[in-house]
Amino acid sequence: QVQLVESGGGSVQAGGSLRLSCTPSRDISRDYCMGWFRQVPGKQREGVASISSTGGTYYDESVKGRFTISRDSAKNTLYLQMNSLKPEDTSLYYCAAQRRSGYCPTRDLAGFPYVGQGTQVTVSS
């Protein structure tokens, strides 16, 4: 079992930045694909960004060039740096993980077995 704890959400104006953090209960960086998906009530989960066990990164088209996913193995923490935020980025953001090597596309994130409690991101116009 892996527990994931997110932090860093909040409220910003359009064009602003936020950084989300996710800390697993143990070091899973070498064996797990990890990433972030978001969900607005009443809508499907949307994969945002993911990082493979070997460091490959993947992004949804809607956030390419604005969001950056990274992992600090020394701190056992996953990050999502979100810049140039738009009102349509408003959502509950979840950290997710699955034991997997290789390709780690964002479309798979919504079905990962380990999911954090979520952190709210609100972007006002």
Side-chain angles (χ1 to χ4, degrees):
Q1 287 291 328
V2 178
Q3 284 76 48
L4 304 171
V5 178
E6 302 113 332
S7 61
S11 297
V12 296
Q13 290 193 326
S17 298
L18 284 172
R19 188 178 75 163
L20 306 183
S21 300
C22 171
T23 302
S25 54
R26 57 185 175 85
D27 184 4
I28 59 174
S29 60
R30 286 184 292 273
D31 303 307
Y32 281 67
C33 168
M34 297 184 69
W36 300 87
F37 67 84
R38 61 191 181 188
Q39 187 172 28
V40 174
K43 293 191 176 182
Q44 289 189 336
R45 295 177 173 182
E46 177 187 26
V48 174
S50 55
I51 186 166
S52 72
S53 59
T54 54
T57 56
Y58 309 85
Y59 297 93
D60 183 77
E61 286 294 328
S62 64
V63 306
K64 272 184 180 178
R66 300 188 298 122
F67 291 11
T68 302
I69 189 170
S70 62
R71 185 172 57 212
D72 186 331
S73 297
K75 296 183 178 180
N76 189 33
T77 301
L78 179 75
Y79 299 103
L80 183 68
Q81 178 66 43
M82 304 184 295
N83 298 330
S84 301
L85 281 161
K86 304 175 181 180
E88 51 263 44
D89 294 319
T90 295
S91 188
L92 197 56
Y93 283 72
Y94 296 88
C95 177
Q98 182 184 56
R99 187 182 180 101
R100 173 195 289 203
S101 59
Y103 189 44
C104 176
T106 58
R107 64 175 178 270
D108 290 352
L109 287 166
F112 279 15
Y114 303 113
V115 180
Q117 80 283 0
T119 186
Q120 179 66 39
V121 171
T122 301
V123 185
S124 57
S125 57

